[in-house]
């Protein structure tokens, strides 16, 4: 399966926009419910860092082929957030989050799925870049 370069560029932009959606779910960092249910990872500082990661993805969208190792770091970052989400889902009651705040409930329901999807995307891009470095 070969992914076109234009699709990869769009993937980086979409991943960044998905991270920027924390602004919506957190109501511009005023939604106290998100940090309440995971004060370590999803504090307002943590949400800000998610936004910064998203800006990093967008910043390399047209030059991703020049930063293979950074793409690999993006994959690792998404893997970590995906694993953290699975752990959170296994040890918390999502219904309690929904009872307190709908936006926070939706956020906790989907953020890990998003991280797993973009982990796969970034790892595929990294593999493609690694193969092209060996053949080029």
């Amino acid at each position: 399966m070969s992914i076109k370069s234009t699709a990869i560029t769009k993937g980086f932009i979409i991943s960044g926009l998905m991270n920027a959606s924390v602004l919506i779910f957190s109501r511009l960092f005023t939604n106290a419910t998100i940090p309440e249910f995971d004060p370590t990872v999803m504090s307002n500082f943590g949400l800000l860092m998610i936004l910064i990661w998203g800006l990093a993805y967008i910043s390399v969208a047209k030059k991703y082929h020049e930063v293979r190792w950074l793409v690999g770091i993006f994959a690792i970052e998404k893997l970590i957030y995906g694993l953290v989400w699975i752990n959170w889902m296994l040890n918390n009651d999502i219904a309690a989050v929904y009872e307190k705040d709908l936006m926070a409930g939706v956020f906790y329901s989907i953020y890990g799925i998003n991280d797993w999807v973009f982990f796969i995307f970034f790892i595929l891009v990294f593999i493609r870049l690694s193969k092209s470095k060996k053949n080029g």
Side-chain angles (χ1 to χ4, degrees):
M1 179 178 100
S2 179
I3 310 170
K4 292 184 179 184
S5 292
T6 55
I8 293 173
T9 293
K10 289 176 185 173
F12 276 90
I13 294 168
I14 292 167
S15 67
L17 293 174
M18 291 299 291
N19 272 42
S21 73
V22 300
L23 293 171
I24 297 166
F25 291 105
S26 72
R27 296 183 191 97
L28 299 173
F29 308 114
T30 64
N31 185 340
T33 305
I34 292 174
E36 175 186 340
F37 280 88
D38 191 349
T40 302
V41 178
M42 296 303 168
S43 65
N44 281 339
F45 177 78
L47 296 173
L48 177 62
M49 292 300 98
I50 290 169
L51 175 62
I52 297 301
W53 276 107
L55 295 174
Y57 308 149
I58 293 169
S59 77
V60 301
K62 293 187 178 183
K63 296 187 180 250
Y64 67 87
H65 54 279
E66 298 174 15
V67 290
R68 170 177 53 141
W69 290 106
L70 183 57
V71 174
I73 291 167
F74 291 165
I76 293 167
E77 180 260 344
K78 288 296 187 185
L79 174 65
I80 291 168
Y81 273 95
L83 291 171
V84 166
W85 177 74
I86 287 173
N87 185 58
W88 189 93
M89 293 297 278
L90 291 172
N91 293 294
N92 291 275
D93 179 15
I94 191 72
V97 182
Y98 274 100
E99 285 176 24
K100 190 140 190 188
D101 183 80
L102 175 64
M103 293 295 279
V106 172
F107 174 79
Y108 277 102
S109 294
I110 65 172
Y111 94 77
I113 297 167
N114 174 73
D115 288 324
W116 284 112
V117 166
F118 285 105
F119 162 72
I120 293 167
F121 170 76
F122 289 137
I123 201 73
L124 289 174
V125 173
F126 178 77
I127 290 167
R128 174 184 167 160
L129 292 171
S130 295
K131 285 181 179 178
S132 69
K133 293 286 183 197
K134 289 178 186 172
N135 295 333

